[in-house]
Amino acid sequence: MNVNFNNRDPVYLQIVRYFKEKIAVGELMPGEEIPSRRELANRMKVNPNTAQRAYKEMEEQGLIYTEKNHPSKITTDRKTLGKVRDELLVEAVDMFVTSVRSINVPVEELLDLVRVKYTANDDKEA
Amino acid sequence: MNVNFNNRDPVYLQIVRYFKEKIAVGELMPGEEIPSRRELANRMKVNPNTAQRAYKEMEEQGLIYTEKNHPSKITTDRKTLGKVRDELLVEAVDMFVTSVRSINVPVEELLDLVRVKYTANDDKEA
DNA sequence: CATAATGTATTAATCATATAATACACCTAA
DNA sequence: TTAGGTGTATTATATGATTAATACATTATG
């Protein structure tokens, strides 16, 4: 449960993203139970209300569901889950392209920069 | 003087970025005068203090300099100017790679996504 | 000289976010 | 049965960043 919060984005959104990443890489399975609001708040050292807000957001997006008096669970809707990875990717690509478009960089130079940086970071995973 | 402000980042930083982009693509030349704080505030419909803060930031980064009672000017230090483009690029690439690393996407898939999106946007420039 | 424009500084107000403190209804499990 | 754990909701407070309002000193320029 390691999350590196930045100061820029709201904490509750960073929590949502944390779960989306877990879903995208398959670490969270359909129907799997996730920590209760209070439990998560303890682990992440945030206020229970912040955890609640994150879960509420995820519920509205259909990523989790909640049965009475049970910790929420990952949705069993495969279609919804399948979209998560693509959405994260598309969102990142869109933001990136938007931010570099104004610089007028040749596409090949841009791709090289990404390739070098991305493969360099592979080391850290090993 | 068209700037599309987003709600996420501080306006004064978006102004700084606006000028950096102009510098990066060579639209602003060394020694060139830029609008006064009040003038810029008028054009961009922001508070003069916001313009002041942006200019102060640029001054601290060595991008502009100010002589008494004259609008600030772009620095004549070519070295400083030359770095701007690279810094914008590296910064964007770093952020992008960081955000997609957690998704474990194959590098070629990632590059394809960027290529498609980036070249698709070329149309809008024409 | 004097008006107006410049940069600069100080203080106040605003705003979103996050946290805090409680409370409530429900249910599980010992 | 009951003690403790669920989710949920409400209200208040704190905090930091941002923006706004205002004032000040300087100087170019007509």
Side-chain angles (χ1 to χ4, degrees):
Chain A
M1 192 79 39
N2 287 340
V3 199
N4 295 326
F5 293 127
N6 66 58
N7 304 333
R8 190 95 253 143
D9 304 308
V11 171
Y12 81 95
L13 287 182
Q14 297 184 55
I15 294 175
V16 171
R17 176 168 180 100
Y18 169 82
F19 280 98
K20 284 189 177 179
E21 289 175 354
K22 293 277 194 186
I23 291 173
V25 299
E27 285 186 41
L28 285 175
M29 307 306 290
E32 181 172 343
E33 186 175 296
I34 60 178
S36 76
R37 275 81 165 157
R38 291 173 176 86
E39 169 85 15
L40 186 83
N42 270 332
R43 290 202 209 167
M44 290 190 170
K45 308 299 178 193
V46 299
N47 191 277
N49 295 309
T50 305
Q52 158 64 4
R53 188 160 180 191
Y55 278 26
K56 187 181 181 186
E57 178 71 22
M58 289 194 283
E59 191 133 26
E60 285 172 356
Q61 294 186 23
L63 298 177
I64 64 175
Y65 66 98
T66 310
E67 294 164 337
K68 285 204 166 178
N69 280 40
H70 284 278
S72 300
K73 296 175 182 173
I74 303 296
T75 182
T76 56
D77 185 329
R78 310 282 176 145
K79 193 175 176 184
T80 299
L81 292 180
K83 284 183 186 170
V84 173
R85 178 179 182 274
D86 286 344
E87 284 176 1
L88 287 181
L89 270 178
V90 168
E91 184 183 320
V93 170
D94 281 2
M95 277 186 44
F96 176 57
V97 167
T98 298
S99 76
V100 294
R101 254 188 103 256
S102 51
I103 309 177
N104 285 347
V105 51
V107 63
E108 289 308 327
E109 179 186 354
L110 187 65
L111 294 179
D112 281 345
L113 284 172
V114 173
R115 177 184 289 109
V116 168
K117 183 73 184 177
Y118 192 67
T119 53
N121 274 4
D122 279 347
D123 301 339
K124 299 182 183 176
E125 298 185 49
Chain B
M1 191 81 40
N2 286 342
V3 199
N4 294 327
F5 294 128
N6 67 58
N7 304 333
R8 189 96 253 142
D9 304 309
V11 170
Y12 80 96
L13 287 182
Q14 297 184 56
I15 294 176
V16 171
R17 176 168 181 100
Y18 169 83
F19 279 98
K20 284 188 177 179
E21 289 174 355
K22 293 277 194 185
I23 290 174
V25 298
E27 284 186 42
L28 286 174
M29 307 306 289
E32 181 172 343
E33 186 175 295
I34 60 178
S36 77
R37 273 80 168 160
R38 289 174 177 85
E39 169 85 15
L40 185 83
N42 269 333
R43 291 202 209 168
M44 291 191 171
K45 308 300 178 193
V46 299
N47 190 278
N49 295 304
T50 305
Q52 158 65 4
R53 187 157 182 193
Y55 278 27
K56 188 180 180 185
E57 178 71 22
M58 290 194 280
E59 190 134 26
E60 287 171 355
Q61 293 186 24
L63 298 177
I64 64 175
Y65 65 98
T66 310
E67 294 163 337
K68 284 207 166 179
N69 282 38
H70 283 279
S72 301
K73 296 175 182 173
I74 302 295
T75 183
T76 55
D77 183 331
R78 311 282 176 144
K79 193 175 174 184
T80 299
L81 291 179
K83 285 182 185 171
V84 173
R85 179 180 183 273
D86 287 343
E87 283 176 0
L88 287 182
L89 271 178
V90 168
E91 184 183 320
V93 170
D94 281 2
M95 277 185 45
F96 176 57
V97 167
T98 298
S99 76
V100 293
R101 254 189 101 253
S102 50
I103 309 175
N104 286 347
V105 53
V107 62
E108 289 309 325
E109 179 186 354
L110 187 66
L111 294 179
D112 281 345
L113 284 172
V114 173
R115 178 184 290 108
V116 168
K117 184 72 184 178
Y118 191 68
T119 54
N121 275 2
D122 278 348
D123 300 339
K124 298 183 183 175
E125 300 185 46

